[in-house]
Every structure is written in C-alpha cells, then in structure tokens.
Amino acid sequence: MDYQFSETLKHFKSSAVRDILKLTQGKSIISFAGGLPGEELFPVEAVKDAFGAVLDQGPSALQYGLTEGYLPLREALCERMLKKNMTVTPDEMILTTGSQQAIDLLTRIYIDPGDVVLVQQPTYLAALQVFQSRGARIVSVKGDESGMDLADAEAKIRQHKPKLLYVSPTFSNPTGYVWSIERRKGILELCRNHNVLILEDDPYGELQYDLDSHYPTIFSLDEHPHGSAVVYTSTFSKTVAPALRTGWAVGDPAIIQNMARAKQASDLHSSTMDQQALYQLLRRFDLDAHIVLIRNHYGQRLRLMNELLNGLDIPGLRWNQPKGGMFLWLELPDGCKAEELLVSAVEEGVAFVPGTPFYADEPRTNTCRFNFTHSGREEMALGIERFSRAMSSFVPS
C-alpha cells in the first residue's frame, strides 16, 4: 500500500520527553526526565470512593455527556476559581482532556498556517508541538527569572503582528520561573492594546512552596471578563492524578463556544466518568488539604535536590532556585552539550531532558531540565550521584 499522508503530518514532531521515557523503559534507569508527580501521594482511596459514588447513581452515569463538560464539575470549578480572584460562569468554561487539549483546541480555532505565535524563551515543548502542527510561525521573546522582557515583547509585537501569545507565568515549564506582577500587568496591557490574545497556561500554580508571596493570574488582572484578552487553562493532573486527564479552559463565551465546536469534531466530549468522579471527589475529599500535603513533600524534594547538586564539584554548573512547580533548570559548563551528555548519563543509569526542544529558535545547547517531584530520597541521591559520574566522564566534542 502506498500511504499518502497529508502535508500536515510534516509539522508534527516527536516529543523529546516521550522519546526519553521510551529509552528508559525496562532498564534500571533513574529518570528525572518526565514531569511526573509522586504516585505514592495520589489519593487512591478517595478516587476509588468517588468512582464508586458515580456508579451508585445507576446506568445513566455511563451515558454520553455535554461537549462543554459535566455541569456540576464546571460549577464547582467556578467556585474554586474565585479563590484566584477569577469570576467566571460555566458558560465561560470548557472541560478538556488535560490542559494539553485546551492548547490544541484554541490553536485550531484561532491560528491559521503562517500566523505568528509569540512564546517565552524557553517554553513548554508540547505547546510548541501544537503550534508547529498548525503551521504557525513561532517567535521567541527574551526574558529572565521575572518574566518576559516587555521591551522585547513590544518590539516583536510591532514587527510580527502576532495573533496569540502563549505564556506560563507561574512556575513555568521548563524553568520554574515566576513572573513579577509588573511583568504580568505589562504584558496584559501590551496585548490588549495590540489585539493579541494571551493563552495563560497554569498547570503548576497550586504547587507553590514560598507561601509568603502572591502570584495573581493574568486572567484575574484583566478588567474585561467579556471581551477578555486572556484564555486561561489548568488541570487536575498535578493536584489529583494525571490518569484522569481532566483539564479546563476559561475565556470569553465566544471563544469557549468555538472551542466546543472544534472539540465536537475531535472527540465529542472528554470522559464524563472521570469528570463525575472528580466532582464527587471535590464533594467528599478535602482537595486543599491534599494540596498542602503534596506541597510539603515536593518542597522537601526540591530542597534535597538543591542540596545534592550543591554537593557536586562541577565548575560552571548552575541552576535556578524555583519557588514552585516541578522542575529545576540547569546550565551545564560552557561547551557541554546536554544531548551528548544524555548518552553518557543513560549509560550511567540516569536520564534528564536536554533543553534544546524547549526553544522555538536559537536553543542553548548546554541546558537541561530535571524533575524533582517523582523521586524519593534514596533514588534521588543515587540519580544525582550517577549524573555526577556522567559529567566527570563526559568530554564535550
């Protein structure tokens, strides 16, 4: 058979993280690569109880549902959004198969081939995959630990006239950086003045370890709930469990309605069984107390990884000190290419993600991302020891 694949296929690129996960399967390798929560912290009994409560309602619980998602869960999420000073109604919300689908649906309805999307540098690699699949032209904006450089953002908005700006301002993937309020307000004003829609991706906002600070969402800073310049998306994957694959997006009703139309053509609706279980979970289980629990554990793991890295004698090795999220962003010594180092690291029995795939352009090849939320104390210590051995034996070409 002579398969005649579409031209669109050439825009799809494999995920570096997924490729590394395949590489480590079946081997005795400690992986800092995936953005994995600690499964020993999953609320297994509470999830089991929630699914049981759904099935107790009878056969109707297994029926088709609304494309926009299970209404009681949307209503419960609207209540939770109030804690972030985000006033939304169920008509301004759609439930999705993880927040990744929200990114995909918005891109489908908003971006045509050749349209410009601005992103922070570096940025979430799976978002780059979505934009590339639509044939978008992706332009990076410079930034630092406090967020996007507003002068560079304005210059590139004027030069490229983008339709969309994608940002993850709170404990971003891969860097863990958190934007200042000044940068959040500044980018909102810029985008509103130039008619650029902001896609604010917030999967890690609940995983905050410095509780003395307040990081408002960009959506909450927008004074125009209708005609808003922001579409906000988040997920239960980091606070409950990734397997439930339930995220949500909020925005102007016109955008949400069109996302729903695109979703009908994609999968009709996300799993209503999972959505009903999550609703029961919110009713029966103290999710906020659970978030405090995982914050405490992940904060300890972050401090441990910092301590272990500080104990290494590797001149030129630098990393960020995140205040939340799931990742450390490392800069290797000058001349050290992370993709080549990964080969030596896997031979030693440890894996990480090289930084190159997180850049839309001009990648810094001596960067890499480490996840600290999945590994326990002994596993993490052994993994960092293996990483140290890989560094000591690696000679950049």
Side-chain angles (χ1 to χ4, degrees):
M1 180 69 189
D2 181 17
Y3 298 110
Q4 301 178 55
F5 294 108
S6 72
E7 283 294 306
T8 305
L9 187 63
K10 67 184 180 183
H11 297 297
F12 286 96
K13 296 183 179 180
S14 179
S15 164
V17 175
R18 299 296 154 189
D19 290 343
I20 292 169
L21 289 175
K22 286 182 183 178
L23 181 69
T24 60
Q25 288 296 307
K27 299 180 181 179
S28 180
I29 292 180
I30 295 172
S31 179
F32 299 135
L36 304 179
E39 58 255 30
E40 72 279 7
L41 299 174
F42 292 158
V44 176
E45 292 303 316
V47 170
K48 185 188 301 183
D49 178 62
F51 274 99
V54 173
L55 291 173
D56 286 345
Q57 296 176 12
S60 63
L62 302 177
Q63 190 55 274
Y64 285 110
L66 297 174
T67 299
E68 292 82 0
Y70 186 54
L71 180 57
L73 179 57
R74 281 186 284 148
E75 291 172 338
L77 278 169
C78 288
E79 292 180 14
R80 288 190 66 82
M81 293 295 94
L82 284 173
K83 297 178 182 180
K84 295 178 178 286
N85 294 317
M86 296 167 60
T87 303
V88 295
T89 68
D91 289 339
E92 296 163 328
M93 177 181 294
I94 185 171
L95 302 182
T96 57
T97 304
S99 56
Q100 180 68 20
Q101 189 185 48
I103 299 170
D104 180 67
L105 292 175
L106 181 63
T107 304
R108 287 192 192 195
I109 67 165
Y110 213 75
I111 299 299
D112 291 313
D115 284 343
V116 174
V117 176
L118 293 188
V119 300
Q120 53 196 102
Q121 184 185 44
T123 195
Y124 177 43
L125 60 86
L128 293 177
Q129 286 179 290
V130 172
F131 304 142
Q132 290 162 348
S133 74
R134 288 294 300 167
R137 193 156 61 89
I138 307 170
V139 176
S140 294
V141 178
K142 297 175 184 176
D144 54 30
E145 293 185 10
S146 297
M148 272 189 173
D149 182 299
L150 296 180
D152 191 49
E154 182 173 11
K156 286 174 177 171
I157 287 173
R158 292 183 181 277
Q159 178 184 357
H160 298 288
K161 297 179 172 52
K163 287 182 72 174
L164 183 70
L165 180 141
Y166 170 79
V167 294
S168 183
T170 309
F171 318 130
S172 63
N173 181 0
T175 61
Y177 294 162
V178 57
W179 290 28
S180 68
I181 294 179
E182 177 189 6
R183 300 280 180 94
R184 293 169 192 254
K185 290 181 176 178
I187 208 69
L188 176 61
E189 181 180 4
L190 268 177
C191 288
R192 178 164 283 285
N193 289 343
H194 292 273
N195 198 41
V196 180
L197 183 65
I198 299 171
L199 174 52
E200 180 180 13
D201 193 10
D202 186 29
Y204 307 103
E206 302 276 15
L207 303 182
Q208 180 177 341
Y209 313 126
D210 170 23
L211 299 180
D212 294 329
S213 301
H214 174 60
Y215 307 116
T217 66
I218 298 176
F219 186 97
S220 71
L221 297 172
D222 194 350
E223 297 177 358
H224 305 271
H226 284 257
S228 175
V230 187
V231 174
Y232 172 92
T233 183
S234 191
T235 179
F236 284 107
S237 292
K238 309 302 186 290
T239 54
V240 181
L244 295 173
R245 303 308 302 131
T246 302
W248 65 94
V250 296
D252 182 88
I255 288 180
I256 298 302
Q257 289 165 12
N258 283 311
M259 289 176 69
R261 289 171 59 192
K263 187 169 174 57
Q264 288 170 358
S266 176
D267 62 4
L268 300 183
H269 62 77
S270 298
S271 168
T272 54
M273 185 69 185
D274 290 348
Q275 293 172 24
Q276 292 173 84
L278 280 164
Y279 172 67
Q280 292 294 334
L281 187 83
L282 291 178
R283 288 183 58 202
R284 298 161 172 265
F285 179 68
D286 190 343
L287 180 59
D288 291 323
H290 178 69
I291 290 171
V292 170
L293 172 71
I294 60 177
R295 277 175 178 168
N296 289 337
H297 280 271
Y298 292 166
Q300 292 171 12
R301 294 177 189 188
L302 167 60
R303 290 188 289 274
L304 176 60
M305 184 169 277
N306 272 314
E307 180 183 321
L308 292 168
L309 289 171
N310 273 319
L312 301 182
D313 184 20
I314 303 177
L317 179 67
R318 300 178 295 277
W319 61 94
N320 66 326
Q321 299 281 345
K323 297 178 180 179
M326 301 176 72
F327 305 110
L328 283 175
W329 183 243
L330 280 74
E331 292 185 22
L332 304 173
D334 292 341
C336 181
K337 294 183 178 180
E339 291 182 344
E340 296 177 2
L341 174 61
L342 177 62
V343 177
S344 298
V346 170
E347 290 176 355
E348 292 289 348
V350 66
F352 54 84
V353 184
T356 300
F358 297 98
Y359 289 87
D361 49 40
E362 301 178 3
R364 296 185 62 186
T365 59
N366 70 324
T367 57
C368 57
R369 189 194 76 178
F370 276 35
N371 166 267
F372 59 80
T373 57
H374 185 252
S375 302
R377 173 174 290 273
E378 293 183 4
E379 184 182 39
M380 186 182 292
L382 181 56
I384 295 299
E385 180 184 327
R386 292 176 177 179
F387 171 72
S388 177
R389 289 203 302 267
M391 283 292 301
S392 64
S393 64
F394 176 70
V395 179
S397 60

